[in-house]
Amino acid sequence: MEKFGTGILSVLFVGWAAAALAVPAHRSLNYADGEAGLVIFKGKTHQQKCSACHRNGVFPIMRQGAEVITMQKIEQGDQCGACHDGRKAFGSSGNCNRCHRPAENH
């Protein structure tokens, strides 16, 4: 019975740890609606707590597609630009191919 209880606790902990990350390491979100090409948001690259991005001024609603992502907002320091400012993470200006994938590279 003790092994059973330990097993359940392990499963619950792993589930909680995955839920604690906005996008778990084994998942990716694809954004294909932009003019500059597909953007793949990789959980493995962006391992942070949900609140790191899902807060006012960044992405207040935790649902893919709830907010239109624009380069103008990013360059103003909103959305992805809250981190991709050239200090916390690479800046967006002049680094198009770091995020955007041309159609032939999907």
Side-chain angles (χ1 to χ4, degrees):
M1 185 68 177
E2 187 175 319
K3 286 183 182 182
F4 179 74
T6 303
I8 288 178
L9 286 176
S10 296
V11 168
L12 289 174
F13 178 77
V14 168
W16 171 82
L21 298 174
V23 180
H26 65 281
R27 289 201 55 220
S28 293
L29 299 178
N30 295 332
Y31 297 92
D33 296 335
E35 294 177 11
L38 174 72
V39 173
I40 301 173
F41 182 91
K42 296 179 181 181
K44 186 175 183 177
T45 306
H46 296 88
Q47 292 185 23
Q48 302 173 37
K49 293 181 180 180
C50 302
S51 60
C53 296
H54 295 286
R55 56 187 170 82
N56 287 335
V58 186
F59 295 102
I61 300 173
M62 279 185 79
R63 189 177 71 243
Q64 182 177 359
E67 187 171 342
V68 176
I69 301 170
T70 68
M71 290 308 301
Q72 180 180 3
K73 290 179 184 177
I74 292 170
E75 289 165 2
Q76 292 172 346
D78 295 329
Q79 299 177 331
C80 307
C83 289
H84 289 281
D85 58 1
R87 291 184 300 271
K88 293 179 190 172
F90 66 87
S92 61
S93 182
N95 285 312
C96 304
N97 291 334
R98 299 275 310 258
C99 298
H100 295 275
R101 304 286 182 248
E104 66 272 3
N105 292 336
H106 292 191

